[in-house]
Amino acid sequence: MDLTRLSYFVAVAEARSFSRAAAALHLSQPALSRQVRLLEEEVGQRLLERTGRGALPTEAGAALLAHARAIFELADRAAADMRERGTQPRGRLTVGLPPRVARVLAADLVERFHAQFPGATITVVEDLSIRLREAMIAGRLDLALAFEPPRSPQLQQEVLVREPLVLASRQPLPARVRLAELAGRRLVMPSGPHALRRLLEEQALPRRVPLEVIAEVDSVQTVLAIVARGVADSVLPASAIGSLPESAGVHVAAIHSPVIRSALVLLVPMARPATRLSRHGAELLKELAVERFSRSSAPASPTGRTARR
């Protein structure tokens, strides 16, 4: 396929007018029309429909327009990648992090990124894992960490850490509790879309363990504050206990039968070519996630333990 003709077609389709596109391309309108007609002959499809209000893509034209935009975006990224290899990158990397992860990793991520690429910009977006996944699929993020994201053919997913969930309470706890023992406990948990809530329900509901959720709060920090007041218990990742000031005085117990582990996953777009910035950013995220979260473990003392600051 002739890429010059393809670019002419894109110009007409986006301008929705042969005359406006010809003026922008500094071509005569007959010459532009001929090039588009040759492209139509090449692909064997009518691509543009002339109307009294201009030129509109046909169904085949709309499909080719999407392909063309992807081709030219890929070419731009290839050119940028070649330029980066001889100079210090000066682009932007947009990274999505769940709030609890951002609290632990974001400062180190920004510091180490700028030490490596002082001329580049990094943007950190904080949101729930499910919304970060949606933003990745929509192309608004370059990389993201997410808890238990559903699979997508558009994303490469690499599990970095699997950390256990624990029961957190203001009251003393044994070292371990069975999942079934959550029945009858008043719980404060994140709302439905939150990965933590979904993970707990996926294990509890098939085993017919009723969960008495008396409050829904999406912030783990706020959940811990409520637990510390003795209002309700909660089920949280082990790394959350002790990493936040609100966890002072909170007792924790490992959950077993079954053990429930929350996976922290690196998301990378499948279709978008990696750049030096995105490759380095991905390695930084892996390094920091393993460093900060892989050491989390459920308590194992005979009488449970109290979280410390």
Side-chain angles (χ1 to χ4, degrees):
M1 183 178 294
D2 189 300
L3 293 184
T4 301
R5 289 174 187 159
L6 187 63
S7 69
Y8 291 163
F9 160 71
V10 171
V12 176
E14 292 183 340
R16 301 203 166 214
S17 165
F18 276 91
S19 59
R20 286 195 295 270
L25 294 169
H26 305 290
L27 291 174
S28 68
Q29 188 170 331
L32 179 58
S33 297
R34 181 173 182 276
Q35 291 300 316
V36 171
R37 187 167 60 254
L38 289 172
L39 178 63
E40 290 179 324
E41 292 174 1
E42 184 178 358
V43 300
Q45 297 285 342
R46 186 175 179 82
L47 301 175
L48 292 165
E49 190 75 43
R50 292 179 182 268
T51 70
R53 303 177 63 180
L56 299 177
T58 62
E59 183 179 347
L64 183 60
L65 180 61
H67 288 303
R69 285 170 172 162
I71 289 169
F72 291 127
E73 180 184 357
L74 186 61
D76 290 342
R77 286 183 173 274
D81 184 52
M82 293 301 103
R83 289 193 299 270
E84 282 183 5
R85 292 177 184 277
T87 61
Q88 187 65 249
R90 304 185 66 85
R92 177 184 297 272
L93 183 71
T94 304
V95 178
L97 299 176
R100 185 169 66 85
V101 175
R103 182 185 179 99
V104 176
L105 301 188
D108 284 339
L109 175 64
V110 171
E111 181 179 26
R112 296 187 195 183
F113 181 87
H114 279 292
Q116 181 72 21
F117 298 118
T121 300
I122 184 169
T123 299
V124 177
V125 176
E126 296 185 34
D127 210 335
L128 295 181
S129 293
I130 191 66
R131 290 200 278 265
L132 293 176
R133 174 183 176 275
E134 292 168 358
M136 284 289 301
I137 292 173
R140 297 193 297 272
L141 298 174
D142 297 307
L143 299 167
L145 292 181
F147 289 108
E148 296 290 333
R151 303 294 300 183
S152 167
Q154 296 168 275
L155 299 175
Q156 175 185 326
Q157 302 186 193
E158 179 180 353
V159 176
L160 304 182
V161 177
R162 292 186 184 276
E163 59 172 326
L165 300 189
V166 298
L167 174 64
S169 177
R170 180 67 179 179
Q171 303 302 317
L173 294 169
R176 303 198 308 161
V177 296
R178 298 170 62 89
L179 177 64
E181 294 177 62
L182 298 185
R185 287 186 175 270
R186 291 156 55 89
L187 299 176
V188 53
M189 293 293 298
S191 57
H194 198 289
L196 180 61
R197 176 72 171 273
R198 180 163 42 85
L199 181 60
L200 178 61
E201 289 182 343
E202 285 174 356
Q203 297 297 324
L205 294 180
R207 293 173 173 83
R208 298 183 180 180
V209 178
L211 300 176
E212 185 183 350
V213 179
I214 67 164
E216 294 184 328
V217 179
D218 286 341
S219 166
V220 171
Q221 185 175 358
T222 306
V223 167
L224 275 171
I226 293 171
V227 172
R229 291 193 179 195
V231 177
D233 300 337
S234 189
V235 174
L236 296 168
S239 64
I241 312 298
S243 66
L244 299 170
E246 290 75 15
S247 63
V250 173
H251 297 264
V252 293
I255 296 174
H256 70 106
S257 299
V259 174
I260 308 173
R261 296 186 181 274
S262 174
L264 182 59
V265 178
L266 173 66
L267 303 180
V268 179
M270 293 286 285
R272 195 181 312 169
T275 64
R276 282 178 65 193
L277 292 182
S278 65
R279 285 193 298 270
H280 184 72
E283 290 304 314
L284 266 180
L285 287 172
K286 291 181 190 179
E287 177 184 322
L288 289 168
V290 172
E291 179 183 309
R292 297 302 181 86
F293 290 98
S294 63
R295 292 173 295 187
S296 301
S297 61
S301 64
T303 59
R305 74 175 172 89
T306 301
R308 301 177 183 231
R309 294 191 185 192

